[in-house]
Amino acid sequence: MFMRNYYILRMKHILVIGLIMFASGVFAQQLQVSGKVVDSEDNGPLPGVTIVEKGTTHGTVTDIDGNYSLSVPENTMLVFSYVGYETQEIIAISSQLNVSMTITAEMLEEVLIIGYGTQKKEDKTGAVSHITSDELNGGVITDPIQAMQGKAAGVLVTKKGGDPNAGFSVRIRGSSGFDSNTQPLYVIDGIPGVDPTTVAPEDIATYDILKDAASTAIYGSRGANGVIIITTKKGVLGQKGGQFVSNVNFNSKVSLEWVAKKLDLLEAGDTRSFAKQLLDNAHDTIVMEDIFIDGGANTDWQNEIYRMGVTYSNNVSFSGGNDKSAYYASITNANWQGVMKGTDKERTIAKVNLTHKAFNNRLTLGGSLSATFENNDYENYDGWDKDDIIYQALQRNPTDPVFNPDGTYNKKTRVFNYENPIATINEVQNVRDAKRFLGNLKADLEIIKDLIGSVNVGYIRDDHESSYFRPSGLYATADNGHARKEYNNNTQKLIEATLNYTKTFNRAHNLNLLGGYSWQESIYDGFWAQGDDAQSDYIGYNDLGIMNDVNYGDIDSWKGKWTLIGFFGRAQYNYMSKYYASASLRYDGSSKFGKDNKWGLFPTVALGWTITNEEFMNNVSWLDQLKLRGSFGISGNQEIGEYRSQVAWQTSGTAINPETGQQVVTFEPAWNANSELKWEETSEINIGIDFAFFDSRLSGSLEVYQKSTTDLLGEYNVPVPPNLARTTFANSGELENKGIELFLQAFVIEKSNFKWKTSFNVTHNKSKMIDLGKYFNDEDGVRKEGHISGRGMVGEEFYVTGIIEGEEIGAFYLPVFVTMKDGKFIYESNSGGFTDKLTDARRQIVGSASPDVELGWSNSMTFYKHWTLDFSFRAMIGNDVYNATQMFFDYPGNLPQLNAVPEAIDWYDQGRISTPTVADFYVEDASFLRLDYISLGYDFDMKSVKWVQKLRLYVASNNTFTITGYSGIDPETSVDGLSYGIDQYNVYPKTRSLTFGLNATF
């Protein structure tokens, strides 16, 4: 009986298990879902729509005809998403599922990265620009900042020339200081102060640019010049069941670069003709050899130093994850060959981003590690020394050959400081080896519901090694050669902790509270040594012990540090996404300032009103968003260097100790102590309007601002005595910026066979000096900037920019040319008459380097389903440039020994004898319109190739053409600091490029 019951019970268990397994098989039955996704407006197919099983990364994309097919468990929720269209969630209950998608106001749902947090675009109360990776410029990109050029209103990105080893200058909302650093703060993946060149452009997901003080003040002492937050790509969490999914992306491109425009100089035949003209006008006893010795060649020295540059770039990335962990890893190698011989750069960047969730997703761990290895090959060109390649090439006589008949370098000496630039390029070694490491770990823990505590730890290490060697006998004049080696090391450490509370009360009151602490320390050290007269040119800089000529002052080393501590808090509130209020406060302490002013307080307040969420706007269907906002904030600037508030002693030489008779090192004060040295502060009022029309097919923002920068950090000359040193670092002066910005974005056409998205931004900013400050004591009331030096021009009177109270920053302050008499320039004089002496000439403002209007226009088109066309224009209107190159090279006295521009002969015919000097007629209108970037691409249909998801080929061009009335080489100069807009011969030429590229996803 017992055995019978046992078998009955056993059979029941088997039957139950079988039924469960059968039911499980039924309910978990896979369903092959297929269908077509179309545009609801014209029923055209939508290629590239993403369809995924909700909560996972399992999915597919529609093909060129809008068709898709996907195997999922029955009754699974499918998510259909496409940029510019409303996301739809549909349960899969049958094998046929067709979807019609409508254009949405998705732009309002964009997430902005702000200081220590995020917010929806529709919730912003400050001036923040958001740029995604899809909107960036491509082609030849030497710096990630270059990719955002012309993309954001109020953000001026400039670069003087096309040197691959040179960086870009960024100015956000005008000028901002005397001698302090005026560049914005870069925050990369939550770590402030990171060099953006350590990030590969292919790894960047978004740029968020904080422009007004209410947005930047959360970063306290370093937010006065704006903040650019760069977020890199991450892996995506999602796939259930612990199974990883992954993607592999490969990007490769090769670019050809050439000089866009060369300086128009005389050719060898012109020089010979001019020499003959001089001979014809000379006394009968003069022979040609007394006037000019013909070198016998026909050399275009610009062609000799310039070349076709070739750039290679390859990037491969891996990304994926499951429901607990995600990863993103990449490696990028790029090699830039500059258009000037001897200028090259190679950079390799390796990066890993990791994310992991634990404790039922209450704990999120994140980490990143990147390493950058860069090798640079430099040539000097920033002056008129013997090794300044561009100057030597431009001035060199075109009848002189590069090589002598025996193959040696031609080293004819016509005048002082006259060298063969090709010999310098080939024989001088000037290189740098840089290694940079960045790592951070972050933990976010949900302590209780709605309260998250975070800790972020960062570490930055930069090591640079520079080496220079010039062999003896290189120059035409006596030269023992030179060698130098230098090491620079910098380490930064960061610890930040925050508490963030987010709560919604009664479905109407939305509150976010943030409190935090930040500690950052930088320690730097360095060493250099140099010597002359190398025993062996073969060993070069590798062993400075072979230098026979080493003197006192040929060795130096240093070490220093700074520390920054901050306490900060922020409160954000909105009522039903209709009424907004926010406030923040940061209390910063910096070791850079005097004992009386180490701490600074930076408050902000902002209000917003979304008018379209009011009931009386319910019937206005064509208006999706209308929001009015205003803000006020104070941010600071500490970038003046270290130990400026204390007396610093430096070595000044050697002397004999009278007591011992021994040689000792002497010291002198570098600058005076100033316990009152404090923060440079910028206060700003910003009023903005956000708008969107017609289902957000047209959207944008309008900003009006006024900001005042006070207590300008600067280096000032003071009398001795009573002061110990001739220099004091102090706060003195005030300047003001006023401006207006407009940003527009439109989905002009959204058809199945043609799509056109365009964005346009325009900026008007004026910077004015309000007060030069108590430390300024020049009797003429002008702070002299923009000094120019060159052959025949050395002295304090050769300046072109004047900083004057009540006048615009960037103003050219020059003597006014009246006429020429007896071959000399005649100016208006200070006494009301006329003079030929520059020191007695009356100066006045004759132009400004600051543009009246800055424009950017970007476009992205897709047509015939496969083709894409992207192009970006950029313009500056109303800016002037001082053409110093013309000033130096139109002097007829240089001929025929040196080269010159054709206008020099015209001046000779008019009888000019005045040497190069400053004058108002060298100021030119430099307004320009430039096609920065254009790209044509083709996306292949890869549905028949299972192992390749996407494949794209493209061709692109940078700096395709420029429309300008400026007569010089290029109308664009680097806009940085208080003195800019000077086009001198020490400018690396702007390049034009053609790029061929491939993008593939596996």
Side-chain angles (χ1 to χ4, degrees):
M1 187 69 177
F2 171 81
M3 292 298 294
R4 181 173 178 271
N5 290 339
Y6 171 83
Y7 283 114
I8 293 175
L9 183 61
R10 179 76 178 270
M11 290 301 295
K12 286 181 179 180
H13 287 170
I14 293 173
L15 181 61
V16 169
I17 293 172
L19 288 172
I20 292 174
M21 293 178 64
F22 175 79
S24 299
V26 171
F27 291 117
Q29 182 176 355
Q30 291 294 109
L31 185 65
Q32 191 70 29
V33 182
S34 60
K36 187 172 186 177
V37 182
V38 299
D39 187 307
S40 62
E41 188 172 317
D42 61 3
N43 287 322
L46 290 178
V49 176
T50 301
I51 304 106
V52 297
E53 180 183 347
K54 187 174 182 180
T56 75
T57 55
H58 174 59
T60 187
V61 295
T62 57
D63 62 19
I64 193 171
D65 299 314
N67 297 318
Y68 75 95
S69 180
L70 181 66
S71 178
V72 295
E74 193 174 358
N75 295 319
T76 291
M77 182 72 75
L78 295 180
V79 180
F80 294 76
S81 61
Y82 193 54
V83 175
Y85 288 78
E86 290 185 0
T87 298
Q88 296 189 37
E89 297 185 358
I90 304 174
I91 298 175
I93 58 176
S94 64
S95 61
Q96 188 68 25
L97 181 57
N98 297 319
V99 177
S100 178
M101 301 188 72
T102 58
I103 296 175
T104 183
E106 61 89 26
M107 300 307 298
L108 303 181
E109 298 298 319
E110 282 185 354
V111 176
L112 307 177
I113 310 297
I114 59 175
Y116 303 101
T118 62
Q119 66 178 179
K120 290 183 179 179
K121 184 177 180 179
E122 65 176 347
D123 293 335
K124 72 174 183 177
T125 54
V128 182
S129 294
H130 181 73
I131 306 171
T132 66
S133 58
D134 295 332
E135 299 168 328
L136 301 177
N137 292 329
V140 180
I141 302 295
T142 60
D143 187 323
I145 301 304
Q146 178 186 357
M148 56 177 254
Q149 196 169 30
K151 301 297 183 180
V155 182
L156 181 60
V157 180
T158 56
K159 180 180 180 179
K160 182 186 290 188
D163 187 354
N165 292 310
F168 283 77
S169 295
V170 180
R171 190 183 74 171
I172 298 177
R173 292 187 165 182
S175 303
S176 55
F178 278 153
D179 298 316
S180 61
N181 182 8
T182 59
Q183 293 299 293
L185 172 68
Y186 294 97
V187 180
I188 298 179
D189 290 336
I191 306 298
V194 180
D195 185 344
T197 63
T198 60
V199 181
E202 294 86 351
D203 291 338
I204 294 176
T206 61
Y207 296 81
D208 290 274
I209 306 168
L210 314 185
K211 297 184 290 186
D212 66 325
S215 301
T216 64
I218 195 70
Y219 288 103
S221 62
R222 292 186 291 175
N225 301 322
V227 179
I228 298 179
I229 301 175
I230 298 177
T231 303
T232 60
K233 296 175 181 177
K234 308 287 193 300
V236 179
L237 295 165
Q239 181 75 20
K240 290 183 178 180
Q243 181 180 356
F244 276 91
V245 294
S246 63
N247 289 317
V248 178
N249 290 279
F250 176 70
N251 304 286
S252 181
K253 59 186 177 184
V254 59
S255 304
L256 304 176
E257 285 189 279
W258 58 94
V259 176
K261 183 181 179 181
K262 298 175 183 176
L263 186 64
D264 184 18
L265 292 169
L266 296 177
E267 297 179 355
D270 302 318
T271 302
R272 294 183 177 107
S273 296
F274 183 79
K276 185 177 183 305
Q277 182 182 354
L278 291 178
L279 181 63
D280 293 341
N281 296 335
H283 192 272
D284 292 342
T285 60
I286 301 297
V287 297
M288 179 60 76
E289 285 73 16
D290 297 328
I291 297 174
F292 173 62
I293 298 177
D294 194 324
N298 296 282
T299 306
D300 185 328
W301 285 99
Q302 292 183 87
N303 285 345
E304 293 297 329
I305 66 170
Y306 298 143
R307 64 186 175 187
M308 176 76 75
V310 182
T311 295
Y312 303 93
S313 179
N314 295 286
N315 164 268
V316 61
S317 65
F318 311 86
S319 63
N322 59 11
D323 59 330
K324 295 295 184 184
S325 302
Y327 67 92
Y328 176 89
S330 73
I331 186 167
T332 305
N333 175 263
N335 195 318
W336 296 272
Q337 185 184 66
V339 296
M340 188 170 82
K341 294 176 181 177
T343 56
D344 302 278
K345 177 168 71 174
E346 182 181 12
R347 180 189 293 155
T348 300
I349 301 176
K351 184 173 183 62
V352 176
N353 287 336
L354 300 173
T355 305
H356 180 73
K357 289 186 175 292
F359 303 139
N360 295 323
N361 294 335
R362 292 182 60 187
L363 175 64
T364 300
L365 299 174
S368 67
L369 181 65
S370 69
T372 303
F373 305 93
E374 183 172 302
N375 294 300
N376 309 89
D377 195 346
Y378 299 103
E379 294 296 338
N380 292 334
Y381 58 83
D382 60 351
W384 56 293
D385 291 331
K386 294 181 178 181
D387 63 348
D388 283 311
I389 301 302
I390 294 177
Y391 173 74
Q392 293 294 343
L394 296 182
Q395 74 157 358
R396 197 163 181 83
N397 196 292
T399 70
D400 287 343
V402 179
F403 298 100
N404 295 317
D406 60 0
T408 60
Y409 294 109
N410 180 274
K411 296 182 181 181
K412 181 185 293 292
T413 303
R414 293 184 178 272
V415 294
F416 169 74
N417 194 13
Y418 185 84
E419 301 296 339
N420 187 331
I422 298 301
T424 302
I425 289 174
N426 293 340
E427 302 302 324
V428 171
Q429 302 174 58
N430 188 1
V431 297
R432 185 187 72 151
D433 180 13
K435 301 177 180 65
R436 298 167 177 166
F437 302 94
L438 168 64
N440 87 294
L441 291 172
K442 186 179 181 183
D444 300 320
L445 176 65
E446 184 181 15
I447 302 171
I448 59 174
K449 183 176 175 57
D450 303 321
L451 179 63
I452 296 177
S454 301
V455 176
N456 187 24
V457 179
Y459 179 84
I460 303 172
R461 173 76 182 193
D462 292 344
D463 295 330
H464 300 171
E465 176 187 341
S466 299
S467 304
Y468 179 93
F469 180 74
R470 184 182 72 247
S472 59
L474 175 66
Y475 294 148
T477 54
D479 172 36
N480 288 331
H482 182 74
R484 177 186 172 102
K485 218 165 177 55
E486 180 174 340
Y487 295 89
N488 283 281
N489 308 299
N490 182 279
T491 300
Q492 291 190 48
K493 301 173 184 177
L494 172 77
I495 299 175
E496 291 184 326
T498 61
L499 285 174
N500 196 313
Y501 179 75
T502 304
K503 184 70 174 179
T504 298
F505 301 93
N506 300 325
R507 299 184 179 179
H509 304 277
N510 302 295
L511 179 65
N512 176 263
L513 299 176
L514 170 73
Y517 166 80
S518 176
W519 173 88
Q520 190 163 9
E521 180 185 75
S522 174
I523 299 176
Y524 58 90
D525 61 357
F527 169 88
W528 64 260
Q530 63 184 15
D532 297 335
D533 190 17
Q535 186 73 25
S536 167
D537 291 344
Y538 177 78
I539 297 176
Y541 55 68
N542 294 300
D543 183 1
L544 295 183
I546 67 170
M547 297 294 139
N548 290 310
D549 186 3
V550 179
N551 301 303
Y552 172 83
D554 284 340
I555 186 171
D556 193 19
S557 63
W558 57 91
K559 185 173 184 178
K561 78 170 185 176
W562 57 262
T563 304
L564 181 66
I565 296 175
F567 301 89
F568 54 90
R570 180 176 60 210
Q572 296 172 307
Y573 168 82
N574 76 76
Y575 174 72
M576 298 185 68
S577 298
K578 185 187 303 184
Y579 308 115
Y580 293 82
S582 67
S584 71
L585 188 66
R586 177 148 180 157
Y587 190 51
D588 264 359
S590 173
S591 63
K592 295 184 178 183
F593 295 119
K595 61 182 181 180
D596 301 329
N597 293 290
K598 288 191 179 297
W599 292 88
L601 192 63
F602 306 101
T604 73
V605 62
L607 300 172
W609 176 30
T610 304
I611 303 172
T612 43
N613 286 349
E614 296 286 358
E615 291 185 4
F616 60 79
M617 297 292 292
N618 288 343
N619 295 325
V620 185
S621 59
W622 54 271
L623 184 61
D624 304 303
Q625 184 194 35
L626 181 62
K627 182 177 181 179
L628 177 66
R629 49 186 169 79
S631 66
F632 171 79
I634 299 175
S635 56
N637 189 349
Q638 66 155 6
E639 304 304 325
I640 190 61
E642 294 73 53
Y643 312 109
R644 304 306 195 206
S645 66
Q646 307 170 44
V647 176
W649 293 88
Q650 62 186 10
T651 57
S652 59
T654 60
I656 300 299
N657 186 329
E659 295 181 355
T660 64
Q662 295 180 339
Q663 180 175 285
V664 294
V665 176
T666 60
F667 294 83
E668 65 180 4
W671 52 78
N672 298 302
N674 182 5
S675 63
E676 297 180 353
L677 187 67
K678 62 180 181 179
W679 310 92
E680 181 178 285
E681 290 189 351
T682 296
S683 60
E684 182 173 5
I685 297 174
N686 188 90
I687 298 175
I689 299 175
D690 300 320
F691 50 85
F693 307 94
F694 315 121
D695 292 326
S696 288
R697 296 192 68 159
L698 174 63
S699 61
S701 61
L702 178 68
E703 311 277 355
V704 179
Y705 62 87
Q706 176 178 338
K707 69 175 186 177
S708 175
T709 304
T710 58
D711 295 324
L712 300 178
L713 291 166
E715 180 180 357
Y716 301 94
N717 292 325
V718 294
V720 177
N723 294 282
L724 188 64
R726 297 186 180 277
T727 300
T728 295
F729 290 90
N731 302 88
S732 182
E734 176 184 356
L735 62 83
E736 178 185 75
N737 285 275
K738 293 182 179 179
I740 183 170
E741 302 166 353
L742 175 66
F743 173 78
L744 294 173
Q745 179 171 269
F747 295 89
V748 183
I749 299 175
E750 287 284 336
K751 302 296 183 181
S752 57
N753 286 325
F754 183 60
K755 303 180 188 298
W756 177 18
K757 175 186 173 183
T758 186
S759 63
F760 175 80
N761 67 81
V762 57
T763 303
H764 168 75
N765 179 87
K766 285 299 177 185
S767 303
K768 183 168 68 174
M769 179 56 62
I770 304 300
D771 181 13
L772 285 167
K774 63 181 181 180
Y775 277 86
F776 178 78
N777 52 18
D778 283 10
E779 294 180 356
D780 59 2
V782 179
R783 176 172 169 138
K784 301 170 181 62
E785 300 282 352
H787 287 84
I788 297 177
S789 65
R791 188 182 296 276
M793 287 183 65
V794 179
E796 288 296 318
E797 68 271 21
F798 296 110
Y799 69 94
V800 299
T801 302
I803 310 299
I804 306 170
E805 290 183 358
E807 299 294 342
E808 184 179 2
I809 301 296
F812 290 117
Y813 189 66
L814 292 161
V816 177
F817 173 83
V818 177
T819 187
M820 190 168 63
K821 183 179 180 181
D822 299 329
K824 296 181 179 181
F825 288 174
I826 303 299
Y827 307 104
E828 297 177 1
S829 70
N830 289 318
S831 61
F834 303 96
T835 181
D836 61 359
K837 294 181 173 56
L838 181 61
T839 53
D840 296 332
R842 182 176 68 89
R843 293 184 180 241
Q844 63 186 55
I845 295 175
V846 297
S848 175
S850 297
D852 295 324
V853 178
E854 304 160 25
L855 297 171
W857 183 36
S858 301
N859 297 268
S860 179
M861 299 178 179
T862 302
F863 48 95
Y864 297 115
K865 302 178 182 178
H866 291 286
W867 292 94
T868 60
L869 177 66
D870 301 298
F871 58 93
S872 299
F873 285 93
R874 186 169 52 88
M876 293 172 62
I877 300 173
N879 58 298
D880 297 317
V881 164
Y882 188 83
N883 194 342
T885 303
Q886 183 74 14
M887 180 190 69
F888 278 106
F889 285 94
D890 70 0
Y891 173 49
N894 286 333
L895 293 171
Q897 300 300 329
L898 305 178
N899 208 348
V901 296
E903 289 80 6
I905 296 178
D906 297 334
W907 278 116
Y908 172 81
D909 293 338
Q910 297 175 45
R912 172 183 168 181
I913 62 174
S914 284
T915 57
T917 188
V918 296
D920 64 315
F921 59 79
Y922 291 115
V923 176
E924 298 185 40
D925 180 7
S927 302
F928 69 87
L929 172 66
R930 172 169 285 153
L931 180 57
D932 260 346
Y933 172 69
I934 185 170
S935 173
L936 178 65
Y938 185 82
D939 293 292
F940 289 87
D941 182 4
M942 303 305 297
K943 61 182 179 181
S944 60
V945 182
K946 295 183 179 180
W947 58 278
V948 180
Q949 297 181 32
K950 296 179 183 179
L951 178 63
R952 182 172 185 267
L953 297 178
Y954 66 91
V955 59
S957 173
N958 296 94
N959 188 26
T960 310
F961 63 80
T962 302
I963 300 174
T964 182
Y966 179 62
S967 66
I969 293 178
D970 189 77
E972 184 176 7
T973 64
S974 179
V975 179
D976 189 19
L978 299 180
S979 177
Y980 44 88
I982 302 172
D983 178 14
Q984 200 167 332
Y985 46 75
N986 55 2
V987 177
Y988 196 103
K990 187 78 76 175
T991 64
R992 186 160 291 140
S993 67
L994 185 65
T995 300
F996 302 92
L998 174 150
N999 307 129
T1001 302
F1002 305 95

